[in-house]
Amino acid sequence: MNQKVLKQASLPDALTAALNERYDLHELTRMSRADLAAIAGEVTVLVTNGEAVVTRDLIASLPALKLIAVFGVGYDGVDVAAARDRGVAVTHTPGVLTDDVADLAIGLLLATSRNIVAAHKFIEQERWPDGGFPWTRKVSGARLGIFGMGRIGQAIARRAEAFAMDIAYHGRRPDSSLPWRYIDDLRALAQQSDFLMVCVPGGAETQGKVNRPILDALGPQGMLINISRGSVVDEDALIDALDRGAIAGAGLDVFANEPHVPAALRQRDHVVVTPHMASATRETRRAMSQLVLENIDAWFSGQPLITPVPR
Ligand code: NAP
Ligand code: 8YV
């Protein structure tokens, strides 16, 4: 009960309450340097989320730290190498959010291609009596390129099959167990896609991978959907590609500098933006919270962690 747990980032209220009930919970954002220094030697667990950054310095400042529990599947914000160097385990919440993220990805794909947000505004602004809404882009039967065919990529592909889409993917390696076509070059995938869906993790390896050449390869009829991390897309190159008409539109749940979204992405008919909400349904947030608690409880009771990050 008096185990000290440090909460570093925003978490659902119910998860914070449950942590408070079970442990001696401290909130980093409400602490002074002196407050932190006073408990640092006793903090064994750090709880964070998918957007937050856990640096080597923060890890070093917590000498008793044994576990970093991430509320989210993406852990690109955590310096995992620093954690390993110190023998600190890292857990995340894979699987429980896959369906929601895939659902939103398809929602963004449809909203972008069929221009649903602009169509809504068209009615709102009472423009319909002056003439019909411009024609949009057909989804069924179109070519979908998925960059990162993991849990979420596969869930999107399964949904896209119901739209009779022609599905191909790119990643570090082909997965022979999957029925979809592998393309060993991202640029070639973009060239052969009407919609390019970004599903890879963030981090140094994927930083800016969707850049000007990839967007140019996607082409003036192509649309980009990003539900992974803002860091994967070179946002300036994206804005430039939209300005040049080098691509037709984008559906974005994630951004380079959240929660700030450049005006150039906010004020366009062919760009649909959502505030990093792909996993934010009540049901999934409860499941993610439960998994965070189970991982922390497992650690405190000496049981194997439920969902450690891959080694
Ligand atoms: P996952 O199952 O690990 O899938 C990631 C896929 O990307 C795998 O197929 C992996 O294949 C591939 N990959 C990894 N590193 C790569 C690289 N450097 N180059 C090319 N491909 C690479 O993860 P997931 O559960 O599908 O989640 C994917 C990401 O979605 C998360 O990491 C997170 O950033 C994001 N996400 C966003 C939201 C949101 O709210 N918008 C919610 C949840 C997740 P190999 O390892 O075989 O290469
Ligand atoms: C969450 C996410 O919005 O799982 C991830 O990687 O980005 C999202 O599910 C995030 O972790 C909550 O902060």
Side-chain angles (χ1 to χ4, degrees), residues 220-233:
Q221 304 302 320
M223 293 183 171
L224 177 78
I225 312 295
N226 186 9
I227 50 74
S228 87
R229 284 288 181 267
S231 61
V232 182
V233 175

Side-chain angles (χ1 to χ4, degrees), residues 10 49-52 70-76 93 97 101 228-229 254 276-280 285 288:
S10 164
N49 68 22
E51 291 103 326
V70 181
F71 176 81
V73 64
Y75 52 90
D76 46 294
T93 61
L97 43 61
V101 181
S228 87
R229 284 288 181 267
V254 287
H276 200 147
M277 56 175 261
S279 69
R285 286 291 156 103
M288 292 165 69

Side-chain angles (χ1 to χ4, degrees), residues 21 77 121 205 222 232 271:
E21 227 167 73
K121 286 186 196 154
E205 265 192 53
V232 182
V271 178

